[in-house]
Amino acid sequence: MPDHPPKNAKNAHESLAGQVVAVIFQGEDTGFAVISMKVEDEGFVTAAGSLGSVHEGEFLRLHGKWAKHPKFGRQFQAQWSEHTSPTSLDGLEKYIGSGTFPGVGPDMAKRLVAHFGDRTLDALEGGTVNLQDVPGIGPKRAEALAEGFQEGRERHRVLAELRGFGLGGNHASALYERWQARAIERVQADPYALVGDLRGVGFQTADAIARTVGIPLDSAVRARGVLLHLLREAGREGHTCLPEMQVIEKLDQLGLGQESIVEGVQGAIQAGRVLLVSIDPTGNSVPSSFEEPSNAGKAFYLNELHESEAGLAEQVQRLLSPGDDALATPEQVLGAIERTAFRPDESQRLALEMALSAHLAVVTGGPGTGKTTTLRLLLEILAAAGSYEVKLASPTGRAAKRLQEATGFEASTIHRLLGFDPATGGFRHNEDEPLELDYLIVDEVSMMDVQLAHSLLQAVPDGARVLLVGDADQLPSVGPGAVLRDLVAVPTVPTTRLEQIHRQGAGSGITEAAHSILHGEMPQAATTPSGNGDFFLTLIDDAEQAADMTERIIAERIPEKYGFDAGRDLLLLSPMYRGPLGVDELNRRLSDRLNPDGEEVAWAAPLRTGDQVMVVRNDYDRETFNGDTGEVISIGKDKLIAEINGSPQHYSREDVKDLIPAYCVTVHRAQGSEARAVVIVLGNTHYPMLRRNLLYTAVTRGKELVVVVCSKSALRRAVTNDFERTRFGGLVARLA
């Protein structure tokens, strides 16, 4: 056990040793605890801090400082802790029987202390021979007690060391469970490896631990850690790779020398974590070694993203290869048109011909241009032309539900279609076990990242056809890559862009506003929601006043004028989480306004009973998917029940993080969703996110009504800013 504070602790600190007499509060997820301790010369004191798992009867030495809590008075605020041995027989008995040591309860602790007295710990340390001296303890029981004691001691030692490095209680416990005593050695050798292996540990935490364990700022270990961090962050920002020189410049800015950079990069490449590649004129990746920066157009990839991007390009090329004749004759196409009484425009006719002849094709177009109507006609033609096995899919549950309702054909999420296995994180259907289908239609492809696209296309059997449908002008996927945009940009991929507006007639304010925004023009509408039409602007400069107005529009004006249900028919969108017009504050306001009687339990906050919620992770055990919505039914001591898609779902403390309040969501979260009425807030504080494709995506979520509450300058910024941050990737080069 450490007998000194961690290297990153402040020099001026105090320590406090005593016995835990009561655990007042213990956060299972955070490791934060509030305890009452009996301390010599101090009496009973209260201490709080990240103490990990703590039991009554344990003896602790806390390191930190005294402070005065505004509500609870004088407390010792612990920065880290270590376990110590008790000094009295009574304390010894409580310590051994506290639950710290497997197999030793209060009764056994009493028997051991009665027999060995102050030599009890030495007896336990001595093993089975000593313990067999106690009446009633045989060889097997003695062996189990000795092993349990050693396990407890070892666990305390390792956890104390890990906590001394700056790891929280839960993270320390997770590492011990995974690596046992080797956890200390592994953290000391490379704390940056925790970022990829331990959920909740970010680069800043790993960097702080590295300083604590003595890893120099200019070291190959840190260079490798920074490189992996930069590439992971790039993936979260939508990139599949980063240019070589950009990475090297960043490493240099962080104080890493040339020798450390070269050694660190080489180490990451040799370990198979990173690839440095250039893409040759034929579109193939050419792996490179790394001796020094070359400035030769190379790029760093995480290995898994390189595999997905290269694999996706290979699958696209496979499906683009010339195939059979068209799936339907001109007579069958004409007959389907006659039966549906739908007269496709020229671009829709081209889309149908392409979809019936090409093995891989893309249909794109804005709102109201007839993408869904064209799909329905295509399905009618395929049904009339033969017994083809047709499957429909979308990236999210909500998008799949919309596709099914719009076409009348069964649709599923891509994950469900491929047979996702949560145990392995992979799919049942792949190139070795392809899907059983003749024709695959995928909607909302703008939401599909490079990894999902690769998994999907490699599961398409030879000879099958694929039609990818989506709006290439919308926001790209949250994950890495810009698959739809890249495919549209490649001349060899058959693509039809639908241009003519059909939906809701030419007089639709929503459609006209969306197309105005797309062309960089300010949308026109009535100045208040009291006028006629389906698209309105409410211009307010002050953010607090705009938040008040948004609350009134959702809670009063739209329900009263249109009869919409504020909880089920409305979707409120904001570009960012923070600030008076951010998602968090608007969710709080609307929960209070629309659900004033909701009951709250601290562990589930900010969720309350009666709140609208959204699922943010695909869960195949529950059959709930990212984007599904529902309502919180009840919250108990350790369980939250929410009704999702008409079925009650139980969420523990651990998995309640899979739900977020859904009165307001970000525009990115709303991709693939639609609502009868959509309210969009744009403020000057949203400046970093105000882009044309974000506003366009938000407006096109509304089916019957869209209201934009904004300052004029924020609206103008969003409309005129057509800059789309470059997404680094090689898919276009591989295909072109």
Side-chain angles (χ1 to χ4, degrees), residues 307-623:
E307 181 180 335
S308 293
E309 185 182 272
L312 174 58
E314 182 181 340
Q315 297 303 325
V316 170
Q317 296 285 14
R318 173 178 69 91
L319 292 168
L320 284 175
S321 60
D324 305 323
D325 296 332
L327 296 176
T329 65
E331 291 76 21
Q332 289 169 327
V333 173
L334 188 59
I337 292 174
E338 292 295 334
R339 285 191 300 275
T340 58
F342 168 65
R343 296 295 177 265
D345 64 36
E346 184 60 27
S347 63
Q348 289 172 321
R349 281 184 176 275
L350 290 173
L352 286 170
E353 291 175 7
M354 176 191 69
L356 291 167
S357 59
H359 271 235
L360 174 69
V362 176
V363 171
T364 187
T369 56
K371 295 190 297 295
T372 302
T373 309
T374 305
L375 278 186
R376 285 200 297 264
L377 184 54
L378 173 63
L379 290 165
E380 174 73 22
I381 294 170
L382 291 173
S387 55
Y388 297 116
E389 182 68 24
V390 182
K391 300 285 188 183
L392 282 71
S394 285
T396 68
R398 296 186 79 179
K401 184 179 179 182
R402 281 181 45 223
L403 179 61
Q404 183 167 311
E405 291 171 348
T407 62
F409 283 74
E410 182 180 352
S412 72
T413 64
I414 295 172
H415 284 75
R416 180 176 287 170
L417 177 71
L418 294 176
F420 181 75
D421 182 357
T424 64
F427 295 104
R428 180 168 60 87
H429 290 291
N430 49 43
E431 54 194 344
D432 296 323
E433 188 179 344
L435 295 162
E436 295 181 1
L437 54 80
D438 300 305
Y439 204 111
L440 174 63
I441 297 172
V442 187
D443 196 18
E444 296 287 357
V445 177
S446 62
M447 302 174 63
M448 193 163 60
D449 63 34
V450 68
Q451 291 169 299
L452 185 58
H454 173 227
S455 296
L456 177 63
L457 293 192
Q458 74 173 350
V460 175
D462 290 337
R465 315 285 181 111
V466 178
L467 180 64
L468 304 176
V469 184
D471 188 344
D473 295 313
Q474 286 187 17
L475 289 169
S477 60
V478 174
V483 174
L484 179 60
R485 191 179 300 170
D486 287 351
L487 292 177
V488 169
V490 176
T492 55
V493 176
T495 301
T496 300
R497 180 179 287 272
L498 304 182
E499 301 280 2
Q500 186 174 330
I501 298 173
H502 297 277
R503 191 177 73 187
Q504 299 170 324
S508 167
I510 297 173
T511 302
E512 291 178 4
H515 286 271
S516 293
I517 293 166
L518 196 57
H519 291 95
E521 301 168 358
M522 292 286 279
Q524 301 298 315
T527 56
T528 70
S530 60
N532 295 320
D534 58 6
F535 180 81
F536 301 100
L537 296 173
T538 299
L539 301 178
I540 302 176
D541 288 332
D542 183 80
E544 289 291 344
Q545 292 178 12
D548 290 340
M549 175 59 75
T550 301
E551 184 180 327
R552 288 198 298 274
I553 288 172
I554 288 176
E556 301 170 17
R557 295 190 178 186
I558 291 179
E560 290 172 3
K561 182 176 177 62
Y562 296 92
F564 294 161
D565 185 300
R568 292 175 175 81
D569 298 330
L570 271 67
L571 183 62
L572 174 60
L573 304 178
S574 173
M576 299 174 69
Y577 281 94
R578 296 182 179 177
L581 289 176
V583 167
D584 293 337
E585 175 61 17
L586 291 172
N587 267 320
R588 184 197 64 77
R589 275 175 168 263
L590 290 171
S591 177
D592 290 344
R593 179 66 179 270
L594 300 176
N595 184 30
D597 299 324
E599 296 180 6
E600 183 176 348
V601 178
W603 68 267
L607 299 179
R608 306 187 302 166
T609 58
D611 272 349
Q612 301 297 309
V613 291
M614 176 180 284
V615 178
V616 294
R617 184 180 70 88
N618 291 333
D619 188 325
Y620 296 89
D621 293 329
R622 294 188 178 91
E623 293 194 345

Side-chain angles (χ1 to χ4, degrees), residues 15-91:
S15 64
L16 186 72
Q19 184 181 20
V20 179
V21 295
V23 179
I24 301 169
F25 171 81
Q26 184 150 24
E28 295 181 9
D29 297 334
T30 63
F32 179 83
V34 181
I35 61 175
S36 177
M37 293 179 65
K38 187 177 181 180
V39 179
E40 189 175 352
D41 298 330
E42 286 277 357
F44 294 97
V45 302
T46 302
S50 183
L51 305 177
S53 178
V54 61
H55 302 86
E56 293 180 9
E58 288 185 296
F59 280 75
L60 299 178
R61 180 177 298 278
L62 307 181
H63 299 267
K65 61 182 180 180
W66 287 100
K68 188 172 183 179
H69 192 281
K71 184 176 180 181
F72 301 109
R74 186 170 182 259
Q75 283 187 351
F76 190 83
Q77 295 182 344
Q79 296 176 339
W80 68 293
S81 65
E82 57 182 321
H83 285 77
T84 62
S85 299
T87 57
S88 68
L89 293 182
D90 181 59

